Amino acid sequence: MVFKKKFLIVVAAAVLAFISAFAFYQIQEKDVVIRLDNHNLSQDAYRMKFKAGTSLAEVVTKTRKSTLKDVQLHFQTQQKNVTYFYGKGNFATPPMISGNFFSQASFVSDVPTAVVGKNLEKQLYKPQAQAYIKIKGNYIPVIGIMGSKYHSELDKQIFIAVAPENLVQKKANAYHVLIDGKNRLEKADIKRAFHPRSFRHVSYGTFIIAKRTWIKEHSTQVLILVGVVVGYLILLLIWFFTSRKNFQQLRFLNDDRQRFVFQEWEFYTLFIGLGLVLGTIVGMMIYSMTSYSWLLIFNGGGMLIDSLFFLWILNVRVKRW
């Protein structure tokens, strides 16, 4: 009976740890879709507004002359799915199905080029090897198709790389001007580089896909993780329930209470920890993630809190005898 209890505790803890790995994998998948919905901009992007008369060419020139590294500028039109794009350094790029994304040469070329979402591929005009997309009567060469296994707003987006000389007539205040960095941008750096009339930090909940919150977007996964926490508490209660004979023996024999507390806590922590490690390892092997940090923090921290909670309850219970 004792062996069976310990084995079941290990298995149950492993299952809970595996479920937590699945939940964090789902969170990562959802975060990827949210980023793609927002045209591959991170949650740390900024929206800038400039004084009247400022052209997009001036904004690009300021970016070139600034000390900012690995940044991208999005000039979003009223069409919503058309964005003029400028990148500096090693900026983040969206997933590609075919072709290439823009290089630095794209931003100095006299000929504008485009990268389009996968949903627009069938709309391209392809007389020979080179494909084109028609925008306002002009045929723009397409150098790549964006997309991934997920369905997102990026699938119907058009990015256009234009040399600054061709942006002189386009006024900044007629566009949503967004800037994002491969690394988090500091407000002081943006102010120093652009001297905008105003700028603010924007998140995916406000600038493209409206009214989103992290909890709302990940409500299912949050409930799963809450369920995992409840599961560990249930395992704790099961251990106490199945250890009644040990408690009765302690009262009958008047055994060393501190030694009893330590042994119970030691065994509980050992078997819970063993199951947690096994479940986490299996989860990490099955679900590929860009980072396992939060999974390890959740399971490691959860085990520590659960173990200390068990020890506290055990001490309280023993002292009452």
Side-chain angles (χ1 to χ4, degrees):
M1 179 64 184
V2 174
F3 173 79
K4 184 178 180 180
K5 179 187 77 171
K6 293 175 180 178
F7 176 76
L8 291 176
I9 289 293
V10 171
V11 172
V15 170
L16 290 173
F18 179 81
I19 291 173
S20 70
F22 170 76
F24 279 103
Y25 172 74
Q26 289 293 312
I27 288 173
Q28 175 188 270
E29 297 286 277
K30 194 71 174 180
D31 285 342
V32 170
V33 173
I34 289 172
R35 177 161 183 145
L36 295 180
D37 277 343
N38 290 286
H39 306 168
N40 204 45
L41 289 170
S42 75
Q43 299 178 33
D44 297 319
Y46 286 89
R47 179 179 177 183
M48 300 184 293
K49 293 184 179 180
F50 296 88
K51 63 181 181 180
T54 303
S55 68
L56 297 185
E58 292 178 74
V59 178
V60 170
T61 300
K62 289 180 179 181
T63 307
R64 285 179 171 178
K65 293 181 178 180
S66 73
T67 58
L68 297 175
K69 297 180 180 180
D70 305 331
V71 297
Q72 55 182 289
L73 286 169
H74 289 211
F75 305 119
Q76 296 176 355
T77 67
Q78 297 299 321
Q79 292 175 262
K80 293 185 179 181
N81 72 319
V82 178
T83 297
Y84 290 103
F85 185 99
Y86 175 77
K88 177 183 178 182
N90 186 24
F91 51 85
T93 59
M96 303 294 294
I97 292 178
S98 62
N100 301 293
F101 199 68
F102 303 124
S103 65
Q104 293 301 318
S106 304
F107 309 122
V108 295
S109 174
D110 292 333
V111 178
T113 53
V115 174
V116 303
K118 62 183 182 182
N119 288 0
L120 301 175
E121 186 173 6
K122 293 183 179 179
Q123 301 178 24
L124 301 181
Y125 172 62
K126 195 173 183 181
Q128 295 181 353
Q130 178 62 57
Y132 298 84
I133 187 165
K134 187 177 181 180
I135 299 178
K136 294 183 178 180
N138 298 314
Y139 287 92
I140 301 175
V142 175
I143 62 172
I145 307 295
M146 301 178 291
S148 66
K149 64 180 181 180
Y150 310 104
H151 297 290
S152 69
E153 292 295 317
L154 190 71
D155 297 341
K156 50 189 177 183
Q157 177 67 198
I158 302 171
F159 286 153
I160 303 174
V162 181
E165 294 76 17
N166 297 322
L167 296 174
V168 174
Q169 300 302 319
K170 299 183 184 297
K171 302 305 178 184
N173 285 344
Y175 296 80
H176 286 178
V177 180
L178 302 170
I179 185 170
D180 193 19
K182 197 168 187 178
N183 298 312
R184 186 183 179 92
L185 297 174
E186 298 296 333
K187 290 184 177 180
D189 294 331
I190 293 176
K191 187 174 182 179
R192 182 167 52 250
F194 298 99
H195 300 287
R197 178 165 59 87
S198 65
F199 68 100
R200 61 186 177 87
H201 183 268
V202 292
S203 68
Y204 60 74
T206 57
F207 71 101
I208 297 175
I209 304 300
K211 306 302 180 184
R212 279 183 164 177
T213 63
W214 193 93
I215 293 294
K216 183 178 179 180
E217 288 295 331
H218 302 85
S219 57
T220 301
Q221 292 76 31
V222 170
L223 289 175
I224 291 173
L225 293 176
V226 170
V228 169
V229 173
V230 173
Y232 281 119
L233 293 176
I234 292 174
L235 288 183
L236 185 149
L237 295 175
I238 291 174
W239 185 283
F240 275 114
F241 180 78
T242 57
S243 299
R244 286 182 300 173
K245 289 184 178 180
N246 295 341
F247 292 119
Q248 292 171 356
Q249 183 180 23
L250 174 66
R251 297 179 66 180
F252 180 74
L253 298 177
N254 197 25
D255 202 355
D256 186 342
R257 296 185 177 184
Q258 289 302 316
R259 183 167 63 86
F260 172 79
V261 168
F262 178 78
Q263 288 179 344
E264 283 292 310
W265 172 76
E266 181 183 37
F267 282 124
Y268 176 79
T269 303
L270 173 65
F271 293 112
I272 286 289
L274 179 60
L276 187 145
V277 170
L278 290 175
T280 301
I281 291 175
V282 173
M284 291 170 67
M285 292 174 62
I286 293 178
Y287 300 115
S288 177
M289 305 183 203
T290 55
S291 174
Y292 296 97
S293 299
W294 286 110
L295 170 63
L296 297 175
I297 291 172
F298 177 83
N299 283 338
M303 187 192 75
L304 178 61
I305 294 172
D306 184 65
S307 176
L308 294 176
F309 186 56
F310 177 88
L311 182 62
W312 177 74
I313 292 179
L314 189 59
N315 271 306
V316 170
R317 186 170 181 179
V318 169
K319 286 179 180 179
R320 290 179 179 177
W321 296 338

